[in-house]
Amino acid sequence: METLSKPTAVIDLASLRHGCAQCSLRQLCLPAGIGATDLQQLDEIVKRRRPVERGELLFRAGDRLGAVYVARNGAFKTVSTSEEGDTQVVGFHIAGELIGLDALGEGVHRCDAVALTSANVCEVPFEQLTAVAAQVPGLQQQLMRVIGHSMSRDQDHLQMLVRRQANERIALFLVGLCERLRNIGESATQFRLPMSREDIAHFLGLALETVSRGFSRLQDDGVIAVVGRKVEILDAAELQRLAQGGELPCPVKRGATG
Amino acid sequence: METLSKPTAVIDLASLRHGCAQCSLRQLCLPAGIGATDLQQLDEIVKRRRPVERGELLFRAGDRLGAVYVARNGAFKTVSTSEEGDTQVVGFHIAGELIGLDALGEGVHRCDAVALTSANVCEVPFEQLTAVAAQVPGLQQQLMRVIGHSMSRDQDHLQMLVRRQANERIALFLVGLCERLRNIGESATQFRLPMSREDIAHFLGLALETVSRGFSRLQDDGVIAVVGRKVEILDAAELQRLAQGGELPCPVKRGATG
DNA sequence: CGTAACATTGAGTTCTCTCAAAGGGCGTGG
DNA sequence: CCACGCCCTTTGAGAGAACTCAATGTTACG
């Protein structure tokens, strides 16, 4: 096929022309519940398809809030480093999720946003976003909802960390990730983790060895299959049960007396 | 003085007539940075001086978001109870602090708001607040800022819980509380805790006994003086140091060889 | 195919939790 | 004003979970 480059160009052109209205993520993103005419106002301020390389930073702690970002694909982490130097992963962000609301308070970012994979983002200048939101009640409402969801996610994160044991946190982490993958239409039973064990550890407030042991334990119990970052969920119901504090009474000897 | 009741009545009347413009908390609250004319619009929707008794709930988890509240005095806690029944104190709220933003996501509260002492609150119907905010850019901005601060506080809370040992969390808790007391012009060196050891434990993700031991240890080390809920800060610098991970190398025998 | 980063596994230690009981503060009622 | 009782708080002892340090195994990428 000599014309291979032609269709590709057409697709690119199409996707460039396509705005929020055609985006597969629109139900999860700012446009949700906004009429066609209003949507155009939003469309005009969104800078689409900025490519980001693995390891690249969207912003760092201390930067002024210029824009918020929506991951179109790929994955990000937001990381906060305390004065004493220990790092806390504040959140992971996959397609359709907003990044940058941490600066809402003082107008200055409190954490770094790092690409875990190569990725593409939409960039939404924040000043313009609030300006448009003031004129479009639907957007105003959706913006509040998105902010609220972000707060809810933080709350869930907190609940996941406090007074839960390591295996419980890890199960919760996996359950949460699966649900989000399902939301964006990706496989929730077989996937590749975009983040390292260390990232997970810093997210869950555990030592990385503890995370590794947790994965191994889940594998030994037949709940998941793990090879490095490749994960397969074998028993979602059991995983769910473990996430809610359920425990295997004792380590069952697999293949022994039964 | 026979006329004792008269001045009291005058004061009450005055404080009833006084709106946000005269409120001692206005710099911490929604009116911050809003002009006099715009302020009146906000003033008109705020229901002032609703008294609340100790133990009373402003709202419970599951309630629709009707209004947000600002504590005028007294103290509140917000508590989230998981399906498994264990409770997490999401936050403590003293004068000038907003309560109720937890419902921003789905429009339904995620936690109970309980008065820890008798208190007074301003009630701000949320629909009307956003409506006014859409017309008053200053208020819009301030609302965002307040929401952002709320998120920042949650972040700080998370940082306080993760990978920090018990004594560090307790020191951080005290440092944070002192700062907030200072903000509202109350003594930050001598005060009465509005919450029980159990509340603190549920806030810090510790067992209540561990909290009690932590207070005792701080007292033994001469950093604070504690009698029940009465606390006096004796060595603020040392408290600050402990909050940042500093440790007394070994338990010094006080009064011994020196 | 080699290398460097990442992940797993093991052993010993420390911190916090749990269970249990005794010691005050505070409000109520006499 | 004092005494009583309840609840909150403090303190002790033992157990368990996760951390740290250390070494080995594996994956992914050039």
Side-chain angles (χ1 to χ4, degrees):
Chain A
M1 307 259 291
E2 319 283 66
T3 54
L4 206 151
S5 63
K6 201 68 179 285
T8 309
V10 169
I11 290 172
D12 276 338
L13 185 61
S15 62
L16 277 171
R17 279 191 16 223
H18 283 176
C20 297
Q22 282 75 33
C23 178
S24 63
L25 299 169
R26 67 185 175 285
Q27 292 306 333
L28 307 164
C29 189
L30 290 169
I34 300 182
T37 51
D38 290 338
L39 194 51
Q40 200 174 342
Q41 288 195 62
L42 174 61
D43 243 15
E44 277 162 17
I45 64 171
V46 176
K47 295 172 187 158
R48 249 173 300 282
R49 269 197 162 284
R50 166 173 160 189
V52 183
E53 286 176 26
R54 174 178 165 170
E56 199 178 323
L57 276 74
L58 290 178
F59 52 79
R60 15 181 124 241
D63 287 355
R64 277 202 59 78
L65 166 58
V68 295
Y69 301 85
V70 182
R72 283 178 67 95
N73 54 44
F76 295 82
K77 65 176 174 182
T78 40
V79 183
S80 145
T81 306
S82 74
E83 306 137 11
E84 302 103 69
D86 33 39
T87 72
Q88 167 68 29
V89 171
V90 174
F92 296 114
H93 312 270
I94 62 172
E97 296 177 348
L98 222 60
I99 307 169
L101 292 176
D102 60 297
L104 230 52
E106 296 297 342
V108 173
H109 287 289
R110 294 167 50 94
C111 45
D112 300 343
V114 186
L116 293 167
T117 65
S118 60
N120 286 288
V121 294
C122 291
E123 184 179 330
V124 191
F126 190 69
E127 297 268 315
Q128 298 178 42
L129 177 59
T130 49
V132 174
Q135 296 164 18
V136 181
L139 180 57
Q140 166 89 338
Q141 212 172 343
Q142 175 63 4
L143 184 57
M144 283 292 179
R145 206 151 49 212
V146 168
I147 292 171
H149 279 147
S150 172
M151 294 179 77
S152 294
R153 201 147 0 99
D154 290 352
Q155 273 313 316
D156 293 342
H157 186 190
L158 194 142
Q159 299 264 353
M160 168 182 315
L161 295 183
V162 174
R163 295 277 257 155
R164 300 201 116 88
Q165 28 196 61
N167 292 340
E168 219 173 319
R169 296 187 205 187
I170 293 166
L172 274 166
F173 166 71
L174 285 172
V175 168
L177 186 59
C178 287
E179 188 184 330
R180 285 153 71 191
L181 288 172
R182 210 176 301 118
N183 276 345
I184 60 170
E186 295 199 5
S187 167
T189 56
Q190 219 170 357
F191 49 89
R192 186 185 162 78
L193 295 170
M195 70 294 280
S196 69
R197 297 286 188 273
E198 187 173 18
D199 288 333
I200 300 175
H202 285 153
F203 180 70
L204 296 179
L206 297 170
L208 77 87
E209 295 95 328
T210 306
V211 174
S212 187
R213 279 185 247 271
F215 275 83
S216 298
R217 175 67 194 278
L218 285 173
Q219 178 159 238
D220 290 347
D221 294 342
V223 181
I224 64 176
V226 182
V227 182
R229 296 194 181 182
K230 288 193 286 291
V231 174
E232 185 176 357
I233 308 293
L234 300 175
D235 187 344
E238 179 65 5
L239 189 64
Q240 184 74 47
R241 204 180 65 80
L242 292 171
Q244 285 168 5
E247 276 304 326
L248 299 173
C250 61
V252 183
K253 291 186 186 72
R254 295 153 54 68
T257 61
Chain B
M1 307 258 291
E2 317 283 63
T3 53
L4 206 151
S5 64
K6 202 67 178 287
T8 309
V10 169
I11 290 170
D12 277 340
L13 185 59
S15 62
L16 277 170
R17 279 192 13 223
H18 283 176
C20 296
Q22 282 74 36
C23 178
S24 63
L25 299 169
R26 67 185 174 286
Q27 292 306 333
L28 308 164
C29 188
L30 289 169
I34 301 183
T37 52
D38 290 338
L39 195 52
Q40 199 174 342
Q41 287 195 64
L42 174 61
D43 243 16
E44 276 162 17
I45 65 171
V46 176
K47 295 172 186 158
R48 249 171 300 280
R49 269 196 162 283
R50 168 173 158 190
V52 183
E53 286 176 27
R54 175 178 165 168
E56 198 177 325
L57 276 73
L58 291 177
F59 53 79
R60 19 182 120 240
D63 287 356
R64 275 202 63 76
L65 167 57
V68 294
Y69 301 85
V70 182
R72 285 178 64 95
N73 54 45
F76 294 82
K77 64 176 174 182
T78 40
V79 183
S80 145
T81 306
S82 74
E83 305 137 10
E84 301 104 69
D86 33 37
T87 72
Q88 168 68 28
V89 171
V90 174
F92 296 114
H93 312 269
I94 62 173
E97 296 178 346
L98 222 60
I99 307 168
L101 291 177
D102 61 297
L104 229 51
E106 296 297 343
V108 173
H109 287 288
R110 294 167 50 94
C111 47
D112 300 342
V114 187
L116 292 167
T117 64
S118 60
N120 286 289
V121 294
C122 293
E123 185 178 330
V124 190
F126 190 69
E127 298 266 319
Q128 297 177 43
L129 176 60
T130 50
V132 174
Q135 295 165 20
V136 181
L139 180 56
Q140 167 88 336
Q141 212 172 345
Q142 175 63 4
L143 183 57
M144 282 294 178
R145 206 150 49 210
V146 168
I147 291 171
H149 278 147
S150 172
M151 294 178 78
S152 294
R153 203 150 353 101
D154 290 352
Q155 272 314 315
D156 293 341
H157 185 190
L158 193 142
Q159 300 262 354
M160 166 180 319
L161 295 184
V162 174
R163 296 277 259 155
R164 298 201 118 89
Q165 23 195 69
N167 291 339
E168 220 172 318
R169 297 188 204 186
I170 293 166
L172 274 166
F173 166 70
L174 285 172
V175 167
L177 186 59
C178 286
E179 187 184 330
R180 285 153 72 191
L181 288 172
R182 211 177 300 118
N183 276 346
I184 61 170
E186 294 199 5
S187 168
T189 56
Q190 222 171 354
F191 48 88
R192 187 187 162 77
L193 295 169
M195 71 293 280
S196 70
R197 296 288 187 272
E198 187 173 18
D199 287 333
I200 299 174
H202 285 153
F203 181 70
L204 295 179
L206 298 169
L208 78 88
E209 295 96 328
T210 306
V211 174
S212 187
R213 278 186 248 270
F215 275 83
S216 298
R217 175 69 194 277
L218 286 173
Q219 178 158 240
D220 290 348
D221 292 342
V223 181
I224 63 175
V226 182
V227 183
R229 297 196 180 180
K230 286 192 287 289
V231 174
E232 185 176 356
I233 309 294
L234 300 176
D235 188 345
E238 179 64 8
L239 189 63
Q240 185 74 46
R241 203 180 66 80
L242 292 171
Q244 287 168 4
E247 275 304 327
L248 298 173
C250 61
V252 184
K253 291 187 184 72
R254 294 153 53 69
T257 62

